[in-house]
Amino acid sequence: MADRRFRRWRGRSSAPTGPLRWWRRRGIRARLALTSAAALALTLVGLARLFAFAVGHSMVATLDDSARRSASDVVTLIDANRLPDPILTTGGTMTIQVVDATGRIRAASPGADRLVPLLDARTLAAARRDRRARFLDGRGYGMPDVLRVVALPARDGRTVIAATSYEQVRHGVESVTRILAIGTPILLVLLGTAGWLVIGGALRPITELRRGAEEISGTSRSRRLPLPEARDEVHDLAVTLNDMLHRLERAEARQRALVSDTAHELRSPLASIRAQLEVALDHPDGQHWPETAAGVLADTLRLSRLADDLLVLARLDEHGARSAAREPVDLAALARVAGERHPAARITVTVDAGEPVIVHGDGKGLTRLLDNLVDNALRHAATGVRVRVSGDAEWAELSVSDDGPGIPPADRERVFARFTRLDEGRSRDEGGAGLGLAIVRETARVHGGDAHLEDASPGLRAVVRLPLPRPSGE
C-alpha cells in the first residue's frame, strides 16, 4: 500500500504544472514564435539602450571638446599677453573664468561670476592635473542645472575654466529615448509578425506531410507523401519516409505472395490426403490400408517439410540484415560431413576441402544451407556432385557443382525466389516446395554474404560467399 502511494505521489510530482505545462501544450509554431519574439525583444531593448548610451556619450564628448577648445583658445591668448576682459565667446554659450594661483578671478566672460570660481581649490587642482571634464551643479552660480566644466593650466600659475550647459545633451538623449520607446515596440510587432509568417511557411510542408499521411490507407494504390519544393531537412524527411513506405509496400507484397503461395502449396497435399482417406472410408473392405497409410504419411511428411522451411524463412526474415554471427564454424568440416551423409548414393559426392575455413555464424543454419545445395545438386546430377571450400584474405567461398542439365542464364536469378520451380528437371514430387534456394540466399545474406549460380560446363555450380572474421585489432 505504501509503495503504491509512493508511486502515485511520484507520478503527480513529476508531471509538469503551471507555466511549464502551458508551454508544453503549445504548438511548435507558437513556441518558436514566442521564443523568437522574446529573444528579439531582449535584443531590441538592449540595442536601444546601447544606441541611447552611444548617442549620449557622443554628444557629451562633442560638448567636452567644444569646452576644451574654448579653454585652449584662452590659454593661447594668455601665452601671447593678449587676454581681454571680458572674454568674448562664440555665440555666448560658453562660460569662462581665468583664475590665478591665489584663487582670484583675473578675467571672465560676460555673465560669469567674477568673485567665486566655478571649481574650489581642491577640484581645480585635480582638474589641472587630469584635464578631464566634470559635471557641476550650476544652480549656485545662477546658471543651468548641470554644467560640464574643463580646466586647463596656463602661464604664471593661472588656470582657465570653461563651462557649458549640459541641457542640450539631456534634451537630445531624451528625444532619442522617446523615439526608441515608440519605435522599438512597433519594430518588435512587425518583426514578430514576419517571424510568425516565416515559421508558418517553414512548417507548411510538415502540415502537407501530415495530410498526405492521413490520406494514405491500406488500400491506396500509390502510398507516397508529397515532396516539398525546397531542398531542406523536411524534403529529406519526406524522401526518407517515402523510401520507408516503398520498403513496406514491397514487404507487404512479398508477404501477400508468400501467403498465397503457401496456401497454394498446402492445397495439393491436403487434397491428396483427403482423397485417400475418403476413398478408404467409402470402400473399407477393398482398401489396402498399409498402402493408404504410406500415401498419407508421404503427404504428411511433405507438409512437415514445408512447415519447417517456412519457419526457417520466417526466422531469417526476423533477423533482417543483422549479422547472425554467434560461434566459429568450420566450413571445411561441414563439407566433409555433408559428403559422408551420402556414401551409398547413386551419385558420387566428392568433397574438396583442405585446411579449415572458419567463419562466424549459426552452425545449424549453415549446415541447412549446405544440405539444401547438396540435395538440390543430387536431384539434377548425372554422375557426380563436387563440394569445394576455399578462402582468401576476406572471403570464404563454398561451391556445390553438378553435371546435370543446368539452368539457363535467364532463370538463374529467378530460382532464388520463393516457391519458384522450373519446367524442366523439377517437379513437386522430386523437388519440393521451391524454398531450398531461397533459404540458401537468405541464410547467406543474414551472415553478411550472398549466393549465386554459374555455369559449370557441364552442369551448374551454386556459389556461396561469406565474410571471414577480421583479426582482432582491425
Side-chain angles (χ1 to χ4, degrees):
M1 180 68 70
D3 183 61
R4 200 160 48 240
R5 284 199 301 268
F6 174 73
R7 288 198 301 269
R8 197 161 52 242
W9 172 81
R10 245 184 106 182
R12 288 199 302 267
S13 63
S14 60
T17 58
L20 182 59
R21 182 181 181 184
W22 177 88
W23 175 256
R24 290 186 176 181
R25 292 173 66 89
R26 300 306 96 192
I28 295 178
R29 185 180 186 182
R31 282 191 284 180
L32 288 176
L34 290 174
T35 302
S36 60
L40 186 61
L42 293 176
T43 302
L44 289 178
V45 170
L47 290 177
R49 296 189 63 179
L50 181 61
F51 179 72
F53 173 79
V55 170
H57 185 271
S58 176
M59 295 179 70
V60 169
T62 302
L63 197 66
D64 293 343
D65 290 341
S66 177
R68 199 170 281 110
R69 282 195 302 269
S70 297
S72 179
D73 292 341
V74 175
V75 170
T76 302
L77 293 175
I78 293 174
D79 293 340
N81 290 322
R82 293 188 294 107
L83 179 65
D85 190 15
I87 303 172
L88 300 179
T89 59
T90 303
T93 59
M94 195 71 61
T95 300
I96 297 178
Q97 293 176 331
V98 179
V99 182
D100 61 13
T102 63
R104 295 178 61 185
I105 299 175
R106 295 298 183 179
S109 61
D113 196 326
R114 304 185 70 89
L115 298 177
V116 181
L118 292 175
L119 299 176
D120 55 41
R122 178 180 297 177
T123 306
L124 185 62
R128 282 171 55 92
R129 288 193 303 270
D130 56 31
R131 301 188 180 186
R132 290 189 297 107
R134 285 167 168 75
F135 283 104
L136 178 67
D137 188 355
R139 288 175 295 180
Y141 304 94
M143 301 178 69
D145 292 347
V146 182
L147 301 174
R148 289 291 288 178
V149 181
V150 175
L152 296 180
R155 194 178 65 180
D156 300 331
R158 284 177 286 187
T159 304
V160 179
I161 302 174
T164 185
S165 175
Y166 184 73
E167 290 300 315
Q168 54 183 328
V169 176
R170 182 161 57 191
H171 291 324
V173 172
E174 289 177 354
S175 299
V176 172
T177 303
R178 282 195 297 270
I179 294 174
L180 293 175
I182 297 173
T184 299
I186 296 176
L187 183 61
L188 178 61
V189 171
L190 293 177
L191 294 178
T193 303
W196 175 266
L197 296 177
V198 170
I199 293 172
L203 294 178
R204 188 174 296 111
I206 298 180
T207 303
E208 294 177 357
L209 288 179
R210 178 183 59 80
R211 292 174 180 172
E214 290 177 349
E215 295 174 357
I216 293 176
S217 64
T219 58
S220 299
R221 291 186 178 181
S222 178
R223 297 188 293 178
R224 293 295 181 272
L225 298 175
L227 293 179
E229 295 181 2
R231 301 286 178 169
D232 54 6
E233 289 79 2
V234 179
H235 181 275
D236 296 340
L237 174 62
V239 171
T240 303
L241 292 177
N242 282 335
D243 291 341
M244 179 191 70
L245 290 175
H246 178 65
R247 292 193 299 271
L248 291 176
E249 284 183 356
R250 291 177 57 188
E252 182 180 357
R254 186 177 180 181
Q255 189 70 19
R256 287 198 300 265
L258 178 63
V259 172
S260 176
D261 292 338
T262 301
H264 183 73
E265 290 293 331
L266 291 174
R267 289 175 59 186
S268 178
L270 289 176
S272 176
I273 292 174
R274 178 179 178 179
Q276 293 180 73
L277 293 179
E278 287 178 349
V279 170
L281 291 176
D282 290 341
H283 306 281
D285 297 335
Q287 186 67 29
H288 188 263
W289 285 101
E291 182 179 348
T292 301
V296 171
L297 178 60
D299 289 330
T300 305
L301 292 177
R302 181 178 172 186
L303 288 174
S304 178
R305 288 194 300 270
L306 175 61
D308 291 341
D309 289 344
L310 289 174
L311 181 60
V312 170
L313 284 175
R315 290 174 177 173
L316 292 174
D317 289 339
E318 183 180 358
H319 279 290
R322 292 175 298 174
S323 175
R326 301 182 189 87
E327 58 185 4
V329 179
D330 185 2
L331 293 181
L334 291 183
R336 286 191 290 269
V337 172
E340 293 172 356
R341 290 198 189 101
H342 308 279
R346 177 181 61 85
I347 306 300
T348 304
V349 178
T350 305
V351 178
D352 182 6
E355 298 181 356
V357 178
I358 307 297
V359 297
H360 283 176
D362 179 14
K364 293 182 179 179
L366 293 176
T367 300
R368 185 183 302 108
L369 177 151
L370 184 56
D371 288 343
N372 285 351
L373 291 178
V374 173
D375 291 342
N376 191 69
L378 287 173
R379 282 195 297 269
H380 301 92
T383 59
V385 173
R386 183 181 182 86
V387 181
R388 184 175 182 273
V389 177
S390 62
D392 53 22
E394 297 182 358
W395 295 90
E397 184 173 289
L398 170 66
S399 65
V400 178
S401 307
D402 64 73
D403 56 354
I407 296 178
D411 295 327
R412 289 176 186 172
E413 186 64 24
R414 187 168 64 90
V415 295
F416 284 103
R418 301 175 184 185
F419 296 106
T420 299
R421 297 186 183 87
L422 300 181
D423 294 335
E424 297 178 0
R426 296 193 67 180
S427 64
R428 293 182 184 273
D429 297 330
E430 295 178 359
L435 297 177
L437 290 179
I439 292 175
V440 169
R441 173 164 282 183
E442 291 299 326
T443 302
R445 288 180 174 177
V446 166
H447 285 76
D450 205 348
H452 68 276
L453 301 178
E454 60 186 25
D455 190 20
S457 298
L460 188 71
R461 179 182 297 108
V463 180
V464 176
R465 288 173 57 84
L466 300 175
L468 292 173
R470 295 183 179 180
S472 58
E474 290 189 6

